[in-house]
Amino acid sequence: MKKQFDIEPLKRKFPFILGTTSYIIPDDIIPNIQFIAPLLDCVQLLILESQNPPSQAVITRINKIGNANSLKYVIHMPVDISLSDSSEHQRQNAVRKHLEIISLTEPLQPFAYIIHVHDNRNDHQTAPSCRDISKWQETISRSIAEILSSGIEPRRICIENLLYPLDLLEEIITHYDLSICLDTGHIIMAGLSIKDCFNRFFSRTSVLHVHGVSNNQDHLDISHMDT
């Protein structure tokens, strides 16, 4: 597989942790982790569907791969559930699912759990209308408090900026001492300034998502970024 892709290893070549997502080659998660492990420092494990987390056996296997290759992990939490759901039942379910995934993946010792804070279960990128902002923020705050009650270190909870100003969550992030996943593609898609966002939020940022945007399509390779 390595010969087919002919990729130069970049592990430990930079003064920061360089990683990628857990789905790079057209195969299951374990072959992907095996492929990435000797090349990079970190894998972001994508658990985007709350009903389809990895099995305990898979976590045990990729933990062994990580230990053998000095590979670090980041967990991207599901986007099909919402910690700000207007339904209290659905909100509680979202909190429960987050806590289950944190418990499941704790053997990997991930340094960040990346969370999308969006309006509802059907739109993974937006915030509510202005008249609903306060209620939305209160609901998020309650969910975050419940997650932190598990004892997880606050800075391992990493809020990703989406297609709205991160300012809307700044008070919550600061109050609970959370960290930030700064996503350059989302900044561009939102029509905001990367420089301004970095100046404001970089001191609290533990993860960077770097991807290009072209014709209003994000998650492209970085050749589409301004140099």
Side-chain angles (χ1 to χ4, degrees):
M1 188 65 70
K2 293 177 186 177
K3 290 183 179 178
Q4 176 187 349
F5 285 88
D6 193 25
I7 297 174
E8 177 190 357
L10 296 174
K11 186 183 285 288
R12 293 187 291 273
K13 287 199 173 183
F14 300 97
F16 49 82
I17 297 168
L18 182 65
T20 189
T21 65
S22 55
Y23 292 101
I24 297 299
I25 60 174
D27 209 327
D28 292 332
I29 186 169
I30 290 177
N32 268 274
I33 302 297
Q34 290 172 324
F35 172 70
I36 297 166
L39 302 176
L40 298 170
D41 307 308
C42 176
V43 171
Q44 179 174 268
L45 188 61
L46 300 178
I47 308 179
L48 302 183
E49 298 176 354
S50 59
Q51 300 301 317
N52 192 32
S55 67
Q56 188 66 63
V58 167
I59 294 298
T60 298
R61 178 71 178 116
I62 65 175
N63 190 31
K64 290 180 179 178
I65 297 170
N67 290 336
N69 291 273
S70 300
L71 188 69
K72 299 180 183 296
Y73 289 100
V74 168
I75 310 299
H76 196 302
M77 299 300 244
V79 297
D80 62 345
I81 51 177
S82 173
L83 295 174
S84 63
D85 202 298
S86 57
S87 162
E88 179 62 12
H89 173 74
Q90 295 294 346
R91 186 197 69 80
Q92 290 179 358
N93 178 64
V95 170
R96 179 174 58 83
K97 287 293 184 180
H98 278 71
L99 290 174
E100 287 176 357
I101 291 171
I102 289 172
S103 177
L104 171 69
T105 58
E106 185 57 34
L108 303 178
Q109 297 184 319
F111 65 86
Y113 289 91
I114 296 174
I115 292 176
H116 277 203
V117 180
H118 46 82
D119 186 14
N120 55 55
R121 299 185 305 281
N122 299 316
D123 191 333
H124 307 151
Q125 298 283 10
T126 61
S129 60
C130 292
R131 67 179 181 276
D132 298 324
I133 289 292
S134 294
K135 183 177 180 180
W136 179 71
Q137 291 168 325
E138 290 170 5
T139 305
I140 294 165
S141 181
R142 189 160 72 254
S143 295
I144 293 296
E146 291 172 8
I147 290 173
L148 293 178
S149 70
S150 69
I152 187 172
E153 302 92 328
R155 283 293 181 114
R156 293 172 73 194
I157 301 298
C158 196
I159 305 298
E160 181 176 346
N161 61 294
L162 302 176
L163 301 188
Y164 58 85
L166 198 54
D167 310 43
L168 296 178
L169 297 176
E170 187 172 12
E171 185 174 338
I172 293 172
I173 291 169
T174 303
H175 175 75
Y176 290 107
D177 194 27
L178 310 179
S179 65
I180 290 171
C181 169
L182 208 53
D183 187 297
T184 59
H186 294 162
I187 293 172
I188 295 169
M189 292 281 286
L192 303 174
S193 163
I194 290 180
K195 186 175 182 179
D196 289 348
C197 290
F198 268 58
N199 288 340
R200 183 163 184 174
F201 298 114
F202 192 73
S203 64
R204 194 172 281 273
T205 296
S206 61
V207 178
L208 288 174
H209 282 174
V210 183
H211 54 98
V213 176
S214 179
N215 297 320
N216 212 36
Q217 173 64 51
D218 62 352
H219 298 112
L220 303 177
D221 69 74
I222 60 174
S223 69
H224 294 277
M225 294 188 72
D226 183 281
T227 303

